[in-house]
Amino acid sequence: MNDRASVFPDPETVGRLALSDSGFVFDPSNGRSYSVNATGLAILRLLQKSTTLAEVVEALGTRFEADAATLERDVIEFAGILRSEIR
Amino acid sequence: MMAEPRLTVAVTGMNALPENPGPGLAVARCLREAYGPRVRIVGLGYDALDPGLYLREYCDSAHMLSYPSGGSDAMLERLAAIHAAERIDLLIPCLDAELPQMVSAEPRLAQMGIRTFLPDAQALARRAKDRLPELCESAGVACPEIKSLTSASFFRSCQAEGWTYPMVVKGPFYDAHIVKSAEEAVAAFHSIAAEWGLPVLAQRFIAGEEYNLSGVADGEGRLHGEVMMKKRALTAKGKAWAGVAVFDERLADAARRLVKTLRWKGPLEVEMMRDHTGRYHLIEINPRFPAWIYLSQGVGRNLPALLAELALGRPLPALAPPQPGTMFIRYAIETIVPLGDFEAMMMDGSLACRLEAEGVR
């Protein structure tokens, strides 16, 4: 549950992303840009603080109406996309 | 940065063709934005239809040069005639093919009173495409293997030597094709050989994304003002139609090591492929500003102006930090050319007096 390294991209990689309130995401090292929804943006902001998976799920639980298992599944799926897209 | 009035800078490469633009017009635009009316820009081209020659907001006057294939004497004779009319302070060559002659002519240009800021012949030769692996070994930069070919037969037997498709077939100065089979490679070989001559180069293909860096080197091992760019849209010839400024310290570090190894002097563009592990591989070093150099003005690091300051021996201005995320999008636009201007370029090879007479500058 706390194994951030196996779930999320490394903190340095996520940390370099420029995040906008609109959901626009820019990676300054490779010029790629993405758009994320409010949930994705919330997760990325949490990850920029070196948060663990458990802490991400807990923080999202206070903002979104979903049970912990659903949130964890969605976060892990999103993390998989992040690992493949942001390197 | 903007001290002496009426600096006269001659810039070559005014062939701003939409699908494969020369860098000259972008260089002129950078200089105009840095110095305003305090610079006189003399546009130099090789074809009466080079669009930059007629863009009065950037070129105060314009002249045709003799083709580099005509030899150094013809080039110098033509430049001397233009210099007599224009009193050129600084010449910025912007085309790969003219660099060898410009470098060898540097002492004679200096005697004429024309400053340049160019690498020496040895450095220029060391960054030739077929010598990149040797250079990269010295600099500690990764580089795909390159073979210099005078016959297309290599492509039929290369797999026995461990070469696999896809690979890149390219000319010594221009043109590059990614080929996926021996048939495609042979066709690319003959196409390049017909246009640019021999040898033709084969380079191992690096899967990844291309990143470009431009900067100005001072000849003492230092790189100044690096600006990095990732292409976002391409023309049919693979040139940048849109791009975004990026910043990656690993790319900057590789470029610095190459500049230091070469003791490069002048502008350059470093083209690198970043593989899936994030490692950069050198593809080419171009001995001039790239056509996308106006992005340097966009990110607050006007590199042509920086070059002018270096060439004039002035103290370098403080540079803005890199601004990744700044984009450019190129567009095509028509300029109206009076028949008399075209006639002057066709018949006299010059548009100088006409512009002056009209009081454009």
Side-chain angles (χ1 to χ4, degrees), chain B residues 55 80 139 222 233 286 320:
Chain B
L55 291 172
R222 287 183 295 271
N286 294 316

Side-chain angles (χ1 to χ4, degrees), chain B residues 280-313:
Chain B
Y280 285 94
H281 303 254
L282 180 67
I283 302 300
E284 285 183 17
I285 297 177
N286 294 316
R288 47 149 176 88
F289 287 123
W292 55 268
I293 198 61
Y294 187 67
L295 182 65
S296 73
Q297 160 72 12
V299 300
R301 300 183 143 203
N302 189 320
L303 291 179
L306 185 72
L307 174 80
E309 296 300 305
L310 268 171
L312 296 169

Side-chain angles (χ1 to χ4, degrees), chain A residues 16 26-33 87, chain B residues 209 211 230 232 244 246-247 274 324-325:
Chain A
R16 75 184 180 217
F26 177 68
D27 186 336
S29 82
N30 59 28
R32 288 184 182 172
S33 51
R87 288 183 289 198
Chain B
E209 293 185 312
Y211 292 83
K230 170 80 170 71
R232 291 296 304 263
V244 60
V246 299
F247 182 79
R274 187 162 89 172

Side-chain angles (χ1 to χ4, degrees), chain B:
Chain B
M1 182 177 282
M2 292 164 259
E4 299 295 323
R6 297 300 275 181
L7 172 71
T8 297
V9 183
V11 182
T12 74
M14 289 291 157
N15 52 327
L17 308 177
E19 76 280 7
N20 186 13
L25 183 57
V27 170
R29 198 176 175 205
C30 285
L31 293 171
R32 178 66 72 218
E33 296 212 7
Y35 297 99
R38 283 177 288 186
V39 66
R40 272 191 89 249
I41 299 173
V42 179
L44 302 176
Y46 294 93
D47 190 304
L49 285 175
D50 283 354
L53 300 175
Y54 299 95
L55 291 172
R56 299 176 179 198
E57 60 269 48
Y58 302 120
C59 292
D60 298 275
S61 62
H63 303 270
M64 301 262 278
L65 290 174
S66 59
Y67 276 104
S69 56
S72 287
D73 289 344
M75 180 199 73
L76 278 166
E77 191 179 325
R78 180 64 183 143
L79 276 173
I82 295 168
H83 182 52
E86 303 283 2
R87 303 185 65 80
I88 298 166
D89 296 306
L90 172 64
L91 169 64
I92 304 179
C94 291
L95 300 176
D96 294 2
E98 65 193 8
L99 257 291
Q101 280 185 9
M102 293 286 184
V103 166
S104 64
E106 193 171 17
R108 290 169 70 186
L109 291 170
Q111 281 174 2
M112 289 159 57
I114 301 176
R115 290 185 184 86
T116 54
F117 202 76
L118 300 172
D120 62 30
Q122 186 188 19
L124 188 67
R126 286 184 75 193
R127 45 62 53 197
K129 291 177 187 178
D130 58 340
R131 293 185 62 185
L132 289 182
E134 183 188 329
L135 167 65
C136 285
E137 193 174 343
S138 302
V141 173
C143 178
E145 187 180 356
I146 294 175
K147 261 193 181 298
S148 184
L149 306 172
T150 52
S151 159
S153 62
F154 167 79
F155 297 111
R156 305 279 183 205
S157 59
C158 62
Q159 281 168 315
E161 296 179 40
W163 283 67
T164 54
Y165 292 100
M167 73 176 73
V168 185
V169 181
K170 47 174 57 175
F173 287 121
Y174 300 103
D175 222 351
H177 301 254
I178 297 172
V179 296
K180 295 174 183 162
S181 65
E183 289 71 28
E184 286 184 19
V186 170
F189 176 96
H190 290 301
S191 162
I192 291 169
E195 190 161 4
W196 304 108
L198 295 173
V200 170
L201 308 176
Q203 186 177 52
R204 286 192 191 271
F205 178 76
I206 302 290
E209 293 185 312
E210 182 183 331
Y211 292 83
N212 300 331
L213 177 150
S214 187
V216 180
D218 61 10
E220 295 171 10
R222 287 183 295 271
L223 175 66
H224 297 277
E226 62 272 14
V227 175
M228 294 164 237
M229 186 276 291
K230 170 80 170 71
K231 294 174 187 174
R232 291 296 304 263
L234 303 177
T235 70
K237 291 199 174 249
K239 305 300 173 184
W241 190 256
V244 60
V246 299
F247 182 79
D248 190 335
E249 185 56 39
R250 291 168 299 177
L251 174 56
D253 179 63
R256 286 185 205 117
R257 276 184 277 137
L258 290 163
V259 161
K260 189 175 179 184
T261 303
L262 288 167
R263 294 191 76 77
W264 190 260
K265 183 180 176 186
L268 81 169
E269 181 192 25
V270 177
E271 298 183 358
M272 302 196 88
M273 292 293 290
R274 187 162 89 172
D275 68 21
H276 70 283
T277 70
R279 190 179 191 207
Y280 285 94
H281 303 254
L282 180 67
I283 302 300
E284 285 183 17
I285 297 177
N286 294 316
R288 47 149 176 88
F289 287 123
W292 55 268
I293 198 61
Y294 187 67
L295 182 65
S296 73
Q297 160 72 12
V299 300
R301 300 183 143 203
N302 189 320
L303 291 179
L306 185 72
L307 174 80
E309 296 300 305
L310 268 171
L312 296 169
R314 296 173 181 168
L316 292 184
L319 290 171
Q323 296 176 40
T326 303
M327 295 183 69
F328 73 86
I329 304 173
R330 195 169 283 156
Y331 63 99
I333 190 169
E334 297 80 20
T335 190
I336 299 301
V337 178
L339 185 60
D341 288 1
F342 184 65
E343 176 191 347
M345 197 58 77
M346 284 287 290
M347 304 309 291
D348 306 330
S350 292
L351 200 48
C353 299
R354 196 176 298 270
L355 292 179
E356 290 292 331
E358 288 177 6
V360 172
R361 294 281 173 199

